[in-house]
Amino acid sequence: MVNNVYLFGAGISAGTVPMVSGTADAVTELIAELTSVLPYLGNDADDARAQALSARANLIIDFAKEFIEATTNSEFQITQDEWARKLLLYDEDKFHRLTEFLSIFYTWVQRARPTCPRILRWVEELIDLDTKRMPSHSAVLTWNYDWQLEAAMNKVRTGRDELDPNPIGAGFYRKSDMKLQEKQIEKQEGFKVFKLNGDAFWSHPVLSGHSEKTIGHASPNLSTAEFWTELINGLNHLNSTRELTCGISFAFHWSEQTDKLFKTIGASIRTARNLIVAGYSFPQANQERDSLILSSMPDLSNIEIYNLAENE
């Protein structure tokens, strides 16, 4: 039975992952880094493969420049979500390229950065040190694409900087997981995390012998050129098979899977009495979904909204 619900926005992991206002600067850094390693991509590959890697890298660079132009240099500055909404209406192919680029961006931006200290402290406070499990009476709803929560849980459990998109001791649910019936998820015991906008992971069943392999994370021990080679190789393979599963979605983009996800959330949090909000400002673009979340907790008696700057 869930008693406490945590609602997280981008501010919760801002120490590691840039907020919207800082995204353009970070994308500029991505362009500079990828440009610098272009001559070294696929050094151990044949000429044809190396050329394919270079061509794909240049496509990423070109789209990154277009991203900056669209979100910062236009007459009316818009967020990446607002640009995505326009693309979905007028250029669906470019809309899918945007979701792919954001997956690349969030994979890159988290590669060489430490796990967010703020989220790490939060996990350390809540986790049972004996069982290494999070409290079963709590659930997290997060709007974030990043995997800082997963990384923090793994670090506290193992003491190492490693990643598993589904850490032991918690159930992580995205709209891509909605093959499960909501009643099944509701009955599953333990700490639950619902990723409302999905995340930057890609998966593909062919790349692993017995289960889906996560592509959206590369070893921090790889060199910069090796990292980009691995990432682009994965993209080229997935696109060639036409079975790319990109986990990112947007608040305005409603689908049957989204509907199932929010029904599942409603069933899972209906007993909650406490709502703790951190790093989230209830933007107008999310108003419909936020209303669904709040109306799913009829017994809610306490709401705490944390100003993270004051609680450091």
Side-chain angles (χ1 to χ4, degrees), residues 59-109:
L59 287 174
I60 293 170
I61 291 169
D62 289 343
F63 193 87
K65 292 176 179 177
E66 187 174 357
F67 176 91
I68 293 173
E69 178 69 26
T71 57
T72 64
N73 296 332
S74 57
E75 182 179 354
F76 301 102
Q77 292 189 6
I78 59 176
T79 66
Q80 62 193 34
D81 285 50
E82 290 168 334
W83 190 38
R85 187 192 293 268
K86 289 177 65 176
L87 292 180
L88 185 62
L89 289 173
Y90 303 111
D91 193 337
E92 191 167 348
D93 179 65
K94 189 174 285 189
F95 170 80
H96 291 299
R97 287 178 60 198
L98 173 61
T99 61
E100 181 182 288
F101 173 73
L102 290 174
S103 292
I104 294 168
F105 171 74
Y106 284 103
T107 300
W108 168 79
V109 83

Side-chain angles (χ1 to χ4, degrees), residues 17 22 24 77 88 141 153 190-191 198 229 310:
V17 181
Q77 292 189 6
L88 185 62
L141 312 182
M153 290 180 64
F191 182 74
T229 297
E310 294 179 356

Side-chain angles (χ1 to χ4, degrees), residues 127-160:
I127 201 166
D128 186 300
L129 295 178
D130 294 323
T131 64
K132 300 296 184 182
R133 290 182 177 273
M134 298 291 279
S136 59
H137 57 75
S138 297
V140 170
L141 312 182
T142 174
W143 287 102
N144 295 348
Y145 297 134
D146 62 60
W147 48 78
Q148 290 301 301
L149 180 54
E150 294 93 320
M153 290 180 64
N154 278 307
K155 188 173 180 65
V156 171
R157 286 187 58 254
T158 67
R160 299 187 298 272

Side-chain angles (χ1 to χ4, degrees), residues 111 218-223 226:
R111 180 180 76 96
S219 168
N221 298 319
L222 294 177
S223 70
E226 289 171 334

